[in-house]
Amino acid sequence: MAVDIIAIERTRLSLVNGSRNLSLMLDKLRLIEEIRDVDVFGFTQDIVDLMKYIESSQEQLDAYIKDHRKLV
């Protein structure tokens, strides 16, 4: 009888642990779904716009340096 109680308790603990693990996996899947829903195109476009702005700023800086060298 004691062996049966121990076996039942082990089974119960295994089920509890399995339930917790399943819950954690579901939470991770929900997080993955949320990440997929992010507007990737908008983010990519923001990066492209930023790169264009940096290139434009570099061109302006180069022009200022060139003009400054002419004066000096």
Side-chain angles (χ1 to χ4, degrees):
M1 180 154 178
V3 174
D4 290 339
I5 293 173
I6 292 172
I8 291 170
E9 184 61 19
R10 285 184 183 161
T11 302
R12 186 187 71 79
L13 291 174
S14 293
L15 290 172
V16 168
N17 286 334
S19 175
R20 288 179 183 160
N21 289 337
L22 182 59
S23 178
L24 289 173
M25 285 191 287
L26 288 173
D27 287 343
K28 289 178 183 179
L29 286 173
R30 287 185 194 112
L31 180 60
I32 290 170
E33 288 174 4
E34 288 175 19
I35 291 171
R36 287 182 183 166
D37 291 342
V38 173
D39 184 7
V40 176
F41 177 77
F43 179 72
T44 302
Q45 189 60 44
D46 289 345
I47 290 175
V48 169
D49 293 343
L50 179 60
M51 289 172 62
K52 287 179 182 176
Y53 176 76
I54 290 170
E55 289 170 355
S56 172
S57 297
Q58 184 62 45
E59 290 171 2
Q60 288 178 347
L61 181 60
D62 291 343
Y64 292 144
I65 291 171
K66 183 179 178 182
D67 290 342
H68 178 71
R69 287 183 180 159
K70 287 180 185 177
L71 296 173
V72 176

